[in-house]
Amino acid sequence: KYGIPKKYFNELLEGMRFDIEGGAIKSLADLERYSYLVAGTVGGMCAHLVTKPSASIIEAAIDLGIAMQITNILRDVSADVLIGRIYLPEDMMRQYGLKESDIRQGRFTEGSAVLMAELAAIAQQKYERAEIVVRRLPKNNRRPILIALGLYREILMRIEQREFRVYNTRVRLNILQKLWLVIRTR
């Protein structure tokens, strides 16, 4: 009915398979690919539900999905390691001297902050690019997307405000913060 390409469904399943099989994120390219598979594809699907998407709308929807996934990864780094998953790129962890044991034991290092700041900057760029395109959508279609973008971006900003000290805690918004964001989103 909506003309959603089957490739998005197949790629989403590929992302789920990666998680089930315990795949490794070896590089930033791997992280971006994984984020595309598990969240960018959902953005691509949603673009077809909201409008007849142009190439720029599809790209923005995919960027938004990837940004949201990177935000989730930064928010959930401690919870993920406890279930045997690390989504931070292995090469970046080595580069900044970050070890799985640091995360597991809640030992925050300067390298942790630098690595996470790099990933946060990538997510912020993707939020910015997506927002420009989303703001061009018809008002009824854009507001729910802007609310979702705003909620996730606010979580990322709070992670940044904590200077990425997110081990053994979960950054979240309370109901009043969410409500305020919904009210002010136009």
Side-chain angles (χ1 to χ4, degrees), residues 21-37:
E21 294 173 356
I25 304 289
K26 296 185 184 303
S27 66
L28 181 56
D30 289 348
L31 173 64
E32 291 206 30
R33 175 72 179 155
Y34 170 76
S35 296
Y36 166 76
L37 291 172

Side-chain angles (χ1 to χ4, degrees), residues 1-52:
K1 178 178 177 180
Y2 294 99
I4 300 171
K6 289 181 183 174
K7 77 172 194 148
Y8 292 133
F9 296 97
N10 292 330
E11 290 170 329
L12 179 60
L13 290 172
E14 185 182 332
M16 291 178 183
R17 187 177 314 111
F18 178 91
D19 271 334
I20 291 168
E21 294 173 356
I25 304 289
K26 296 185 184 303
S27 66
L28 181 56
D30 289 348
L31 173 64
E32 291 206 30
R33 175 72 179 155
Y34 170 76
S35 296
Y36 166 76
L37 291 172
V38 299
T41 56
V42 176
M45 290 178 206
C46 290
H48 286 80
L49 298 175
V50 171
T51 187
K52 184 176 181 202

Side-chain angles (χ1 to χ4, degrees), residues 130-139 142 146 185-186:
E131 184 176 3
I132 290 167
V133 175
V134 170
R135 290 207 174 274
R136 290 189 227 138
L137 293 173
K139 190 173 185 175
R142 80 172 166 240
L146 288 173
T185 299
R186 301 273 174 242

Side-chain angles (χ1 to χ4, degrees), residues 17 19 44 58 152 184:
R17 187 177 314 111
D19 271 334
I58 291 171
Y152 273 80
R184 73 176 194 225

